[in-house]
Amino acid sequence: MPVKLGKERLHDLINGNQLFLPRMNDKIRVRFAPSPTGGLHLGGVRTALYNYLFARQQGGQFILRIEDTDQTRYVPGAEQYILDTLAWCGIEPDESPEKPGAYGPYRQTERKENYLLYAEKLVKEGYAYYAFDTPEELEQKRKEIPDFQYNISHRAAMRNSLTMPADEVTKAFADHTPYVIRLKVPEGETIELDDMIRGKLQFQSNQADDKVLLKKDGMPTYHLAVVVDDYLMQISHVFRGEEWLPSAPVHVLLWKYLFGLENMPQWAHLPLILKPEGNGKLSKRAAAQSGFPIFAMNWTDPQTKELTQGFRERGFLPEAFINMLALLGWNNGTEQEIFSLPELVAQFSIARVHKAGARFDYEKAKWFNHEWLKKTAMSTIAPEIKNLFEAKGITVEDKATFIEVLELVKDRCTLLTDFVEQAHYFFQRPLQYDIAAIASKWTIEKNNFFIELIRSYSLLPYWELPDLENTFREMAAAHAIKIGELLLPLRIMLVGGKSGPGVFHIAALLGKEETLERINLNLSTLSKTQ
């Protein structure tokens, strides 16, 4: 069972210089820890997916933690958006703000008191210090020193508890002078990290700056909070984007100073998702310029009210979306490309995650969706597609017919939104007919054929596809007209254009009355071209 400690006990253990909560068991516990600052983009969802796949495969637990300590960037509605996105993708956490467990709370703002205790412990043991520099003083240093960093080279010239006399520090506290707590990065050390994807990594401490750990408002920065929370939540593995590699030496030092490196999780830094051209990380702007989504679902900025379309609203199935994401940086060593979520769980291996960035290819993403549409029973997604029809003002009443129509046209659809274009004429008479495509070759013989076809079709005792096709072919032979010269006119009369599934299948689904009315309507127009 996990160890749960009250505030007083936690304070006693820290002040008593004890490292509490050593790794209590060998359970796999991974976490996805997004910040609620906006929509959840491709890279974030992929990080969540890889964490989830690893946890499920290893019989472990997948935790969602909301890292909301930067209140200046907090966006209302973003946390719920994250929860909704994971639910749509089928990536269900074992523990989260909505599903709390023994290691909560699951929002960092609700864990604030823990961070202060650990920050003070670092100062007490000489691994961190108080810095009283004002924003104006820091800005002046940036003007004086190109690429200024608050680090080994410059900390001695700043106003902090390392340079100020003890009585001056005491007075600063008594006067309630604002301060931050900074990490005291050691000089001349090689900091090592074994990465599950990249192998052994080395960093030179002189190249790291003294990161702020606790801000003036008492809130922790990411660097302190992520280490403390991963420890208290007993996280065994950390999978995050490679953009966090520059912060890795700071985090290794914090693990070393606070909890001991033997308690540090195993880390893996995931490759970037690149622009289609391969030159840089895929961004919201780059996606917009190329005309494809970057968010999983629609995101509306609460301040600007700007709507950014998501993959779901573009017409992607969640199965196709996560299938596509999984292969952006991973493969199972075979030519297989289509994976269900259970198959991904069974075959995922962090050892087969690539080091190099993965180019995003929107056409390939659509291919995944097309393949998933082909293998999906339309009955399972008919309600969602029906909503798309109704949004266009097209009423669908017969559920069985609707599903049959969807099955008929699904091979022609790449996105869910394509179903409206490919099947609208089954439920709403076309507003326009491409008569111009056949008018120049229209003859009195063809006109007479369709007049007789109306009569023959009206007398059929059963309105079945074989009867419709056989009658049509027999009549074409009797009129000595090539069937190919008659099929296109029939198609245009029924659907308005040149494309669609088998024309007799269309007629069978339209029904006798509607089929005859559409033929008669267009025949009247074509007769006037003679």
Side-chain angles (χ1 to χ4, degrees):
M1 292 291 293
V3 178
K4 296 181 70 174
L5 298 174
K7 176 187 171 185
E8 293 78 10
R9 177 61 175 148
L10 176 61
H11 190 279
D12 290 344
L13 286 168
I14 293 173
N15 284 347
N17 204 26
Q18 299 179 48
L19 296 179
F20 89 107
L21 279 179
R23 191 70 61 200
M24 298 299 295
N25 52 55
D26 294 326
K27 281 189 176 180
I28 299 296
R29 286 177 57 82
V30 301
R31 49 72 170 173
F32 175 55
S35 298
T37 56
L40 191 58
H41 56 72
L42 288 175
V45 181
R46 189 192 62 175
T47 298
L49 176 62
Y50 282 7
N51 274 282
Y52 174 87
L53 296 177
F54 184 80
R56 288 291 175 268
Q57 185 189 77
Q58 300 294 323
Q61 295 167 312
F62 170 62
I63 294 92
L64 173 66
R65 184 175 73 221
I66 301 299
E67 300 198 337
D68 57 349
T69 56
D70 190 349
Q71 290 290 291
T72 61
R73 298 178 62 227
Y74 176 81
V75 175
E79 179 182 324
Q80 188 59 50
Y81 176 89
I82 292 167
L83 294 167
D84 293 343
T85 295
L86 295 183
W88 178 66
C89 293
I91 306 173
E92 294 290 345
D94 297 296
E95 301 169 26
S96 71
E98 286 191 331
K99 191 178 179 182
Y103 295 90
Y106 294 87
R107 296 183 187 91
Q108 285 186 331
T109 49
E110 298 172 7
R111 305 170 66 90
K112 180 178 177 180
E113 292 176 344
N114 289 354
Y115 309 123
L116 174 60
L117 296 174
Y118 281 106
E120 289 176 342
K121 171 177 164 56
L122 287 167
V123 174
K124 179 181 177 182
E125 296 182 359
Y127 298 124
Y129 57 91
Y130 302 107
F132 299 93
D133 314 276
T134 66
E136 294 75 19
E137 289 170 338
L138 292 172
E139 183 59 32
Q140 182 61 36
K141 283 295 181 183
R142 294 186 187 101
K143 291 178 180 178
E144 295 172 1
I145 304 173
D147 301 320
F148 169 77
Q149 282 189 313
Y150 206 124
N151 59 11
I152 294 167
S153 300
H154 301 293
R155 67 166 74 117
M158 307 303 293
R159 259 190 350 121
N160 54 60
S161 58
L162 300 177
T163 61
M164 297 163 58
D167 59 339
E168 192 174 330
V169 173
T170 301
K171 184 176 185 305
F173 284 128
D175 294 341
H176 302 289
T177 304
Y179 67 88
V180 300
I181 293 180
R182 288 182 178 272
L183 176 67
K184 185 182 177 183
V185 176
E187 185 172 359
E189 284 193 12
T190 298
I191 302 167
E192 295 187 345
L193 170 68
D194 286 322
D195 189 281
M196 297 176 72
I197 296 172
R198 299 162 195 279
K200 186 176 291 293
L201 301 175
Q202 292 187 332
F203 306 88
Q204 299 307 312
S205 65
N206 288 14
Q207 296 176 356
D209 57 331
D210 292 357
K211 296 290 186 186
V212 172
L213 303 179
L214 202 74
K215 295 178 284 187
K216 292 179 180 180
D217 62 1
M219 291 299 289
T221 61
Y222 170 80
H223 307 291
L224 177 63
V226 71
V227 170
V228 169
D229 286 342
D230 282 349
Y231 180 70
L232 296 182
M233 290 184 168
Q234 296 281 277
I235 300 303
S236 64
H237 295 75
V238 172
F239 303 148
R240 62 184 186 179
E242 71 172 65
E243 61 268 28
W244 289 108
L245 272 173
S247 300
V250 170
H251 298 168
V252 172
L253 287 174
L254 286 171
W255 274 101
K256 177 182 177 180
Y257 296 154
L258 285 172
F259 311 118
L261 294 179
E262 68 276 9
N263 289 310
M264 188 170 70
Q266 291 183 264
W267 290 4
H269 288 84
L270 308 176
L272 295 176
I273 298 178
L274 305 176
K275 300 176 187 177
E277 304 80 22
N279 58 342
K281 182 180 178 181
L282 181 63
S283 64
K284 178 182 174 182
R285 176 179 295 180
Q289 290 174 342
S290 298
F292 55 77
I294 195 170
F295 294 150
M297 295 163 40
N298 273 5
W299 168 253
T300 301
D301 187 293
Q303 265 116 31
T304 66
K305 306 304 178 184
E306 177 190 6
L307 171 66
T308 304
Q309 189 183 46
F311 278 85
R312 182 181 69 173
E313 289 73 18
R314 183 64 68 94
F316 279 78
L317 295 172
E319 296 88 348
F321 180 66
I322 62 170
N323 189 167
M324 173 270 295
L325 275 185
L327 270 67
L328 278 176
W330 169 87
N331 66 65
N332 71 341
T334 73
E335 297 298 315
Q336 181 179 352
E337 292 189 280
I338 303 301
F339 294 87
S340 65
L341 188 55
E343 287 174 326
L344 287 171
V345 168
Q347 300 191 40
F348 182 76
S349 166
I350 199 71
R352 293 202 62 84
V353 174
H354 310 154
K355 295 180 184 178
R359 295 189 185 191
F360 178 73
D361 183 343
Y362 184 58
E363 292 305 311
K364 185 68 174 183
K366 291 196 296 183
W367 176 85
F368 278 107
N369 207 61
H370 180 62
E371 293 299 309
W372 270 98
L373 281 176
K374 288 194 297 184
K375 65 183 295 183
T376 299
M378 290 297 101
S379 57
T380 63
I381 57 174
E384 187 174 355
I385 301 175
K386 182 182 177 183
N387 291 337
L388 296 174
F389 275 78
E390 293 177 347
K392 295 291 186 180
I394 302 173
T395 302
V396 176
E397 296 178 350
D398 189 320
K399 179 180 178 182
T401 299
F402 185 57
I403 292 173
E404 189 174 354
V405 167
L406 299 183
E407 291 287 357
L408 180 63
V409 303
K410 72 178 184 179
D411 284 355
R412 308 176 65 84
C413 298
T414 299
L415 305 171
L416 290 180
T417 48
D418 294 339
F419 280 95
V420 178
E421 179 183 350
Q422 293 296 332
H424 66 90
Y425 51 80
F426 284 99
F427 309 99
Q428 183 183 74
R429 192 171 292 181
L431 300 177
Q432 294 181 331
Y433 293 88
D434 190 9
I435 297 299
I438 53 177
S440 63
K441 295 184 179 181
W442 196 251
T443 64
I444 189 64
E445 290 79 14
K446 293 179 182 178
N447 205 74
N448 291 336
F449 169 86
F450 279 97
I451 291 174
E452 187 172 336
L453 181 69
I454 292 173
R455 186 181 306 115
S456 298
Y457 272 3
S458 64
L459 295 174
L460 285 174
Y462 302 104
W463 192 258
E464 303 289 347
L465 187 153
D467 298 328
L468 297 174
E469 183 171 2
N470 291 337
T471 299
F472 192 92
R473 291 184 180 278
E474 290 169 2
M475 286 184 55
H479 283 260
I481 304 176
K482 293 180 180 179
I483 193 168
E485 296 181 22
L486 299 169
L487 286 174
L488 179 60
L490 177 61
R491 179 179 297 280
I492 289 175
M493 290 175 182
L494 298 184
V495 308
K498 300 177 181 179
S499 63
V503 69
F504 299 110
H505 209 148
I506 294 172
L509 287 169
L510 285 175
K512 178 184 287 190
E513 182 179 354
E514 183 63 23
T515 297
L516 296 181
E517 285 185 12
R518 293 189 188 187
I519 294 174
N520 196 50
L521 172 67
N522 284 280
L523 192 58
S524 175
T525 303
L526 284 163
S527 297
K528 296 174 184 177
T529 65
Q530 299 303 301

